[in-house]
Amino acid sequence: MEHLRFFISYSRSNKQEVGQVIDLLRTSGHEVWWDGDIPEIADWWATILDQIEACQVFIFIISEKSVQSAYCLAELKYATERNRPIFPFVIDDHSRYTIPPEVTPARNQRFVYDGNPTRMLERILQSCNQLDWKMYHDLPAPRPTEPSSETGSLVKLFQQAVGLAEDGHFDEAIKRFRNVASLDYEEWGQESQEWIARLQVYEEVAELADERATHRRALKKWQEYIQSYGSEFDPFNVQKKLVDIVPPLSPVGPALAAAQDPATRMASTPQPQPRGQIQGAGRNRWLWPGMALLALIIVGVLWALSSLGSPPLNPTNTPPPFSRTPPVVAQVTEEAESTSTHSAMLTNTPPPTVRRTSTATEAPSPTDISPTPLETEVTLQAAPADLEHQYANCQATVVLQGGANYRTEPNANAAVIERIPFGTVITTLERRPAEGADNYGWLHIQVGSSEGWMREDLLGVSRDCAAVAGLYPAPMLAGTYSFSRSFQLATDSSPEYLAWDFGAPVGTPVFAGPNGGMVITAFQCPNCTADHPNFTSAGLALDDPSANNDPDWGYGRGNYVIVRYLNEQLPASTQRELAEMVLAGGHVFCLYSKLADIAVIAGDELESNQMIAHTGQTGRATGPFLKLECRASQNADETDWDAMDPNVIDPGILFTRTGYTADEIQGS
């Protein structure tokens, strides 16, 4: 087939899927125009019309947002008037909305995109081969004016934000990106948030690169940055500052290399790695051989002694036998706080079972808990008096991607005063615990001179606040993620969701707790390849029972790591919560899933704040995020994830929603 020129009209909320198809079209030798990479253009709308006139085929991506977009419909109308062949592709569940008749005129065949970009490419090229090109000669038509908008052109606002970022005016750029996201989050929110995260990470690297004393740390951070975002955006010339100043650091450390080595992963009996000695050996090559031999002997003795107390490991390092029941897909509710657009796409609800949670009001029966007896008496610190008022005058940040509602009363039916944008810092006054059917606690907050209430799961309370003292930070650096879904018990209107979800770009570092821990399982999903990391890219439906029950997909979890945190490593408040669940002295096991790669192996004793993996979109996922699930057991040697199913706990009894600071990670 000869070289063709395509124009793709789409809603920006479908940018990821559209980008995959564009890459395939370009690889096949065709020219594609879309607004995926928005440059600074004086007249954006004129450029769009120029490209429609220059194209030979017009592809219209049908989605709930695109059929409501004045821009998309104006582009389609002009392409039709100019007599271009139009290929409409339905990319979502169109039963939820009405497709206007002008979107699919009688002469156009409507295709349904099944999540497989390769098949979509085949349909496009096959349809092009079947066209009678004589019918599609160019027809003159008046150029339409740019669609009006009450808020102005979001495209232009976004362009201005990108231009400010490229000029190094980061604070003003971030304000513009947040403004764009607040005006139309579903269309522009995710892309704006990605830019905000990029700028925050880049600014940190640039500050380190300005000081010669921190060049080595800057280089390490720069390597992490380009793995996530590439090196094209570099307004402060960080790469030039660092080149030839310090020797390059290997992007793959000993733990990651071991995790990627098939021989290491398949070892029948994985052993704990003496991390500090291995990592330090390369820096001490100047020591004379006798000292090196003495060091090795000491390390061997220490390792042998530490191994005596290590619990037995899963000898095959295979995934635990997760439930084979097909997962129930949670539905999106009309309450925007319950689940953001991002999290609704990433639904991965575990199989429904009877579970014991941290919010239970009655004690479980003896059959609901592990039968392992406690060998020592557990002494718990008393709960601080007047805990609800320890939120007085604390700072908190809105962590939900689309912002959060600020209400007149502490319940979901109260009137909304206003919606507070993502990233806004507010002051908390007190907390109201969950009552009745309401599964959420509420925080009394102050915004400017007014007061109201906001659900506590939508806020990341500053870790210097007495109410959250001692809790683990969220498992990523602050500013590199947004909170997209909370632990949710089943209600009449919402299904249960027994995990936390963090939206984050692929490659965002994931860190274990500040008091160390032990890796119980590090599972590399055999089906999660670079080209097909998840169900969608492999051409499978999200609710495909064979995929969700397939151990080679990690039962839908993709790549995952399970870390055990012993009771003595837990904050006092977490120990008290476990005791109230009749799990006094219990240990917490956390499963981190959807990972892109894993930097640890089973049996590793973790250091404080140690990086264990990078975020990805593996298994049952349609976008990049981290899923965090936690369970408890009084048996420290437990390796069966399903055996702990009755003791599912809200991650909120151990973690805050506020992430690590760069100083904490660098100082660990």
Side-chain angles (χ1 to χ4, degrees):
M1 177 182 294
E2 67 175 16
H3 167 89
L4 293 175
R5 294 188 301 276
F6 293 88
F7 182 103
I8 297 186
S9 179
Y10 70 105
S11 163
R12 298 189 74 82
S13 58
N14 304 119
K15 182 177 179 180
Q16 181 179 347
E17 298 94 329
V18 173
Q20 294 172 345
V21 178
I22 288 173
D23 290 342
L24 289 174
L25 279 169
R26 287 174 174 168
T27 302
S28 301
H30 302 286
E31 182 181 342
V32 185
W33 194 91
W34 71 319
D35 62 357
D37 300 312
I38 299 181
E40 281 288 340
I41 298 174
D43 193 337
W44 177 254
W45 182 243
T47 302
I48 289 177
L49 300 182
D50 289 343
Q51 296 298 330
I52 293 175
E53 293 165 5
C55 81
Q56 294 167 290
V57 178
F58 184 95
I59 297 175
F60 188 83
I61 304 299
I62 300 175
S63 68
E64 187 171 8
K65 288 291 292 183
S66 69
V67 300
Q68 300 173 22
S69 167
Y71 279 89
C72 291
L73 294 179
E75 292 165 1
L76 174 65
K77 184 174 184 294
Y78 188 56
T80 303
E81 292 173 347
R82 295 302 296 245
N83 198 35
R84 297 298 184 270
I86 296 172
F87 296 165
F89 275 83
V90 180
I91 204 166
D92 59 6
D93 181 9
H94 63 279
S95 64
R96 298 178 302 178
Y97 58 92
T98 301
I99 300 178
E102 60 267 26
V103 173
T104 54
R107 71 179 184 182
N108 293 329
Q109 177 184 359
R110 188 174 70 195
F111 303 98
V112 176
Y113 177 58
D114 60 3
N116 187 325
T118 303
R119 277 203 288 268
M120 182 174 177
L121 174 67
E122 292 172 353
R123 291 176 183 173
I124 292 172
L125 299 183
Q126 183 180 20
S127 299
C128 289
N129 279 328
Q130 295 172 352
L131 285 175
D132 182 357
W133 289 99
K134 295 178 182 178
M135 296 175 54
Y136 295 100
H137 55 278
D138 187 43
L139 295 178
R143 283 191 158 199
T145 57
E146 182 173 3
S148 60
S149 170
E150 295 180 359
T151 59
S153 170
L154 291 182
V155 173
K156 291 179 180 177
L157 290 176
F158 190 90
Q159 283 181 263
Q160 292 170 3
V162 172
L164 288 167
E166 291 175 341
D167 291 340
H169 304 299
F170 286 7
D171 290 343
E172 186 60 33
I174 288 174
K175 290 180 183 177
R176 298 288 179 94
F177 283 125
R178 286 177 175 162
N179 184 33
V180 171
S182 67
L183 293 172
D184 190 347
Y185 185 82
E186 289 186 5
E187 187 81 3
W188 293 89
Q190 183 172 347
E191 192 167 0
S192 296
Q193 184 52 40
E194 288 173 357
W195 263 102
I196 291 171
R198 171 189 287 194
L199 295 181
Q200 291 172 336
V201 175
Y202 179 88
E203 188 169 32
E204 178 190 351
V205 179
E207 289 175 356
L208 292 173
D210 284 340
E211 300 293 334
R212 188 176 184 85
T214 55
H215 273 161
R216 184 171 294 279
R217 286 163 55 194
L219 183 57
K220 184 177 180 180
K221 289 287 186 182
W222 177 246
Q223 290 175 330
E224 293 174 356
Y225 171 85
I226 62 178
Q227 287 177 1
S228 299
Y229 304 105
S231 58
E232 294 80 9
F233 180 81
D234 188 12
F236 298 152
N237 297 316
V238 169
Q239 185 158 313
K240 184 177 180 181
K241 292 177 182 178
L242 297 178
V243 69
D244 296 331
I245 294 179
V246 292
L249 296 173
S250 170
V252 180
L256 186 55
Q260 293 172 342
D261 183 357
T264 303
R265 285 194 175 279
M266 296 304 292
S268 59
T269 310
Q271 298 295 332
Q273 301 295 319
R275 279 185 194 283
Q277 307 307 324
I278 292 177
Q279 293 176 347
R283 293 192 295 269
N284 296 321
R285 290 175 182 167
W286 53 268
L287 291 177
W288 49 285
M291 288 295 292
L293 179 59
L294 178 60
L296 288 173
I297 293 172
I298 294 172
V299 170
V301 171
L302 292 176
W303 177 84
L305 290 174
S306 65
S307 298
L308 293 176
S310 299
L313 305 178
N314 183 338
T316 59
N317 197 25
T318 57
F322 294 119
S323 173
R324 296 302 187 96
T325 307
V328 177
V329 179
Q331 300 298 316
V332 181
T333 65
E334 290 185 1
E335 173 57 47
E337 291 174 344
S338 297
T339 169
S340 68
T341 302
H342 167 80
S343 64
M345 295 171 61
L346 306 180
T347 303
N348 189 1
T349 307
T353 57
V354 178
R355 308 175 191 270
R356 180 68 53 183
T357 71
S358 60
T359 54
T361 55
E362 59 182 53
S365 67
T367 58
D368 288 333
I369 63 175
S370 169
T372 304
L374 291 176
E375 297 180 357
T376 57
E377 181 180 354
V378 177
T379 302
L380 297 176
Q381 297 181 23
D386 203 19
L387 177 62
E388 308 306 328
H389 291 284
Q390 290 197 16
Y391 285 89
N393 296 317
C394 292
Q395 298 297 300
T397 305
V398 177
V399 292
L400 192 69
Q401 288 181 334
N405 287 337
Y406 168 44
R407 299 179 183 274
T408 55
E409 298 292 337
N411 68 75
N413 296 320
V416 176
I417 301 173
E418 63 177 313
R419 194 167 183 86
I420 308 299
F422 171 82
T424 303
V425 178
I426 53 88
T427 300
T428 64
L429 305 175
E430 62 175 321
R431 178 181 181 271
R432 180 77 58 84
E435 297 178 356
D438 188 348
N439 289 321
Y440 300 103
W442 292 81
L443 290 179
H444 188 192
I445 66 172
Q446 182 175 342
V447 180
S449 59
S450 66
E451 295 182 10
W453 296 84
M454 186 177 290
R455 271 175 31 190
E456 66 175 335
D457 62 304
L458 309 178
L459 289 167
V461 178
S462 173
R463 286 167 41 220
D464 59 7
C465 179
V468 297
L471 290 182
Y472 287 8
M476 288 178 284
L477 277 171
T480 65
Y481 66 90
S482 58
F483 195 82
S484 58
R485 197 166 188 189
S486 282
F487 186 96
Q488 165 72 55
L489 296 178
T491 65
D492 292 340
S493 59
S494 302
E496 68 179 11
Y497 192 74
L498 306 181
W500 279 7
D501 286 355
F502 301 86
V506 172
T508 303
V510 178
F511 302 96
N515 301 325
M518 181 176 178
V519 179
I520 301 302
T521 303
F523 177 68
Q524 192 76 36
C525 161
N527 286 348
C528 303
T529 64
D531 294 332
H532 304 297
N534 49 49
F535 291 6
T536 302
S537 60
L540 301 171
L542 291 180
D543 57 355
D544 186 323
S546 63
N548 283 290
N549 293 331
D550 189 346
D552 286 346
W553 279 110
Y555 299 96
R557 287 174 168 85
N559 300 328
Y560 63 84
V561 173
I562 300 176
V563 176
R564 182 199 64 197
Y565 299 112
L566 292 173
N567 186 266
E568 55 264 32
Q569 296 171 319
L570 302 175
S573 60
T574 306
Q575 294 173 345
R576 287 193 298 271
E577 292 268 9
L578 292 174
E580 291 173 5
M581 298 169 62
V582 197
L583 284 167
H587 317 283
V588 174
F589 296 73
C590 292
L591 189 151
Y592 305 77
S593 62
K594 315 300 179 183
L595 305 172
D597 57 61
I598 298 172
V600 292
I601 60 175
D604 280 356
E605 292 284 357
L606 300 176
E607 300 172 358
S608 173
N609 309 334
Q610 183 172 326
M611 190 191 79
I612 58 174
H614 291 92
T615 56
Q617 47 185 339
T618 56
R620 191 173 188 269
T622 58
F625 74 118
L626 170 70
K627 182 172 182 175
L628 176 64
E629 305 170 73
C630 293
R631 299 182 180 184
S633 174
Q634 289 174 312
N635 178 10
D637 296 339
E638 185 61 77
T639 58
D640 185 347
W641 182 252
D642 273 358
M644 296 180 281
D645 184 77
N647 298 326
V648 171
I649 61 175
D650 184 342
I653 77 169
L654 178 58
F655 295 89
T656 68
R657 292 172 176 80
T658 304
Y660 283 98
T661 66
D663 289 342
E664 287 175 316
I665 298 302
Q666 292 164 0
S668 61

